[in-house]
Amino acid sequence: MRHFSYTRAETVSEAVAALASDPQAQILAGGTNLVDLMKYDVAKPGSIIDINKLPLKQIDELPNGGLRIGALVSNTTVAYDPRVQERYPLLSSAILAGASPQLRNAATTGGNLLQRTRCYYFYDPSTPCNKREPGSGCSAIGGINRIHAILGASEDCIATHPSDMCVALAALSAVVEVEGPQGKRDIPFADFHRLPGDRPESDNTLAQGEMVVAVRLEGNHFAGHHTYLKLRDRLSYAFALVSVAAAMEVSDGKIVELRVALGGVAHKPWRDMLAETEFAGQPAEEVTFRHIAQRLLAGAKGQGQNDFKIPLAEKVIVRALKQAASGRPQVQSVKAIQ
Ligand SMILES: Cc1cc2nc3c(=O)[nH]c(=O)nc-3n(C[C@H](O)[C@H](O)[C@H](O)COP(=O)(O)OP(=O)(O)OC[C@H]3O[C@@H](n4cnc5c(N)ncnc54)[C@H](O)[C@@H]3O)c2cc1C
Ligand code: SF4
């Protein structure tokens, strides 16, 4: 049996102080990922900081028409909040594409950002895994790698980030508010998760002792032209093989502004902002969408069992862009691709 201490934080500063005082400490939010990892003996926290009493459960209006979502707002509450549904339907849709109603009721906004990869070897302590045990090797390279990365992988890790919600947050250029021993700071969503490089044990850019307190949505809502399209092995209750959050502004049949983020293909939600800018002004039609897909996948590399993801991703990107352009987003309760 492994022993750990348990603290229920009453304030954010109390949680930050407890987190900063012990490098082995871990935050407990909904517990839907952390508790599983502890049962598998993958996570071995020396102390647990339960943050469920913190006042981080509100969705607040921002003066610019945006929304500030507290780190403890459940995935269900975000998905069904009328303001999110009206202003940021892409986010609502992506959340509803993930997990199950029971899990979404328990899972929190902060926990969703910080959930760990679903690489089979990461969950099996009897196998080498650089993310779980730095320097031990990567069993997925040359092993079972059907669900693994085709973009941004390294020779030390080819894992993917499993979140659906984060793919929409990436496309919407959300901002992550964090608080730590040095105070508060904002992290643009594109900089929050990292590629594995030679430090795959580190999923994100949080400093020691920092925690997520909120996620801010500002700027373009893309309520008119958006979609979240997710392909998976089962029609529901499965992680993405490839997913696409697509959003655009269209005028006179031309793309004015474009956002495309990919899930299930890299260690972080994958977005190429330069490519998005370059396609502004192009006709919003299939031939352009195919060029966008090819551009996004230019550096894609399979690992053997996951080679199928490259042509699959091209098809999903094109289909998602068609859905977004036509203003007919994928309805998550309809399992067939629309
Ligand atoms: C069977 C199953 C199917 C699933 N399917 C999907 C799916 O299809 N799509 C999808 O996107 N997700 C899916 N999930 C994952 C689920 O969405 C996550 O487990 C959930 O979002 C994690 O949130 P939580 O609040 O429970 O986090 P916890 O389990 O409490 O924490 C997860 C991690 O985040 C850290 N953490 C939590 N809050 C904070 C904070 N505020 N600041 C800093 N660190 C923090 C914890 O220390 C821990 O390391 C699935 C999960 C299961 C079990
Ligand atoms: S892909 Fe990453 S998480 Fe999976 S075994 Fe390799 S190092 Fe571990």
Side-chain angles (χ1 to χ4, degrees):
M1 187 198 289
R2 291 197 184 273
H3 294 270
F4 56 86
S5 67
Y6 172 88
T7 310
R8 189 177 287 150
E10 302 285 339
T11 62
V12 171
S13 18
E14 218 176 278
V16 166
L19 201 55
S21 69
D22 175 7
Q24 305 306 321
Q26 289 219 44
I27 282 176
L28 177 72
T32 60
N33 190 215
L34 179 61
V35 174
D36 277 357
L37 289 166
M38 290 172 71
K39 288 185 198 160
Y40 288 123
D41 210 21
V42 172
K44 302 168 193 166
S47 52
I48 290 283
I49 324 290
D50 184 340
I51 61 167
N52 282 285
K53 279 202 157 180
L54 302 187
L56 304 174
K57 294 183 179 162
Q58 302 81 239
I59 302 180
D60 295 316
E61 294 277 349
L62 293 172
N64 56 11
L67 295 172
R68 180 179 184 274
I69 302 168
L72 284 173
V73 181
S74 76
N75 289 180
T76 300
T77 302
V78 177
Y80 292 113
D81 185 284
R83 296 163 296 176
V84 175
Q85 288 183 315
E86 187 198 327
R87 288 181 228 170
Y88 299 102
L90 174 59
L91 176 59
S92 176
S93 180
I95 292 172
L96 294 176
S100 64
Q102 293 89 340
L103 281 159
R104 295 194 296 264
N105 288 343
T108 65
T109 301
N112 196 304
L113 264 64
L114 273 294
Q115 63 175 294
R116 308 300 309 270
T117 183
R118 290 283 153 175
C119 172
Y120 324 108
Y121 300 104
F122 178 70
Y123 283 78
D124 179 357
S126 69
T127 60
C129 167
N130 286 324
K131 188 180 276 299
R132 179 171 27 76
E133 201 181 326
S136 62
C138 173
S139 301
I141 297 176
I144 299 171
N145 52 39
R146 173 177 163 72
I147 62 169
H148 288 72
I150 52 171
L151 288 163
S154 75
E155 57 188 28
D156 290 322
C157 180
I158 57 170
T160 57
H161 193 269
S163 168
D164 291 298
M165 185 182 90
C166 290
V167 186
L169 290 175
L172 292 165
S173 292
V175 174
V176 186
E177 289 183 25
V178 307
E179 194 161 331
Q182 314 303 327
K184 300 178 185 180
R185 68 182 177 116
D186 286 349
I187 308 179
F189 207 82
D191 299 333
F192 184 78
H193 297 103
R194 54 183 298 283
L195 292 177
D198 59 3
R199 284 194 307 115
E201 68 276 16
S202 176
D203 293 347
N204 56 63
T205 54
L206 283 179
Q208 159 66 23
E210 280 185 329
M211 63 173 283
V212 173
V213 293
V215 171
R216 267 197 337 264
L217 287 167
E218 295 161 310
N220 203 328
H221 301 168
F222 296 103
H225 294 281
H226 67 89
T227 197
Y228 186 71
L229 185 54
K230 172 177 179 179
L231 260 75
R232 51 200 139 172
D233 278 326
R234 282 191 309 267
L235 285 177
S236 66
Y237 200 43
F239 291 90
L241 290 167
V242 175
S243 70
V244 180
M248 64 178 83
E249 285 296 327
V250 184
S251 177
D252 292 333
K254 293 198 170 140
I255 297 169
V256 177
E257 192 177 354
L258 175 70
R259 303 280 177 87
V260 191
L262 309 181
V265 297
H267 201 252
K268 60 186 283 188
W270 189 265
R271 202 178 145 195
D272 182 340
M273 296 187 202
L274 191 60
E276 290 171 8
T277 318
E278 285 172 13
F279 282 96
Q282 301 280 317
E285 60 189 30
E286 181 157 353
V287 66
T288 311
F289 301 155
R290 197 155 298 285
H291 287 147
I292 294 170
Q294 285 161 356
R295 171 71 190 271
L296 287 171
L297 296 167
K301 181 174 169 290
Q303 298 288 337
Q305 293 181 359
N306 70 348
D307 292 351
F308 73 96
K309 279 194 182 186
I310 301 173
L312 179 69
E314 182 174 333
K315 289 192 174 86
V316 186
I317 294 167
V318 172
R319 183 68 76 98
L321 288 166
K322 281 163 90 171
Q323 289 184 346
S326 67
R328 287 196 295 277
Q330 180 71 30
V331 177
Q332 299 305 344
S333 55
V334 175
K335 297 300 176 192
I337 296 172
Q338 294 162 282

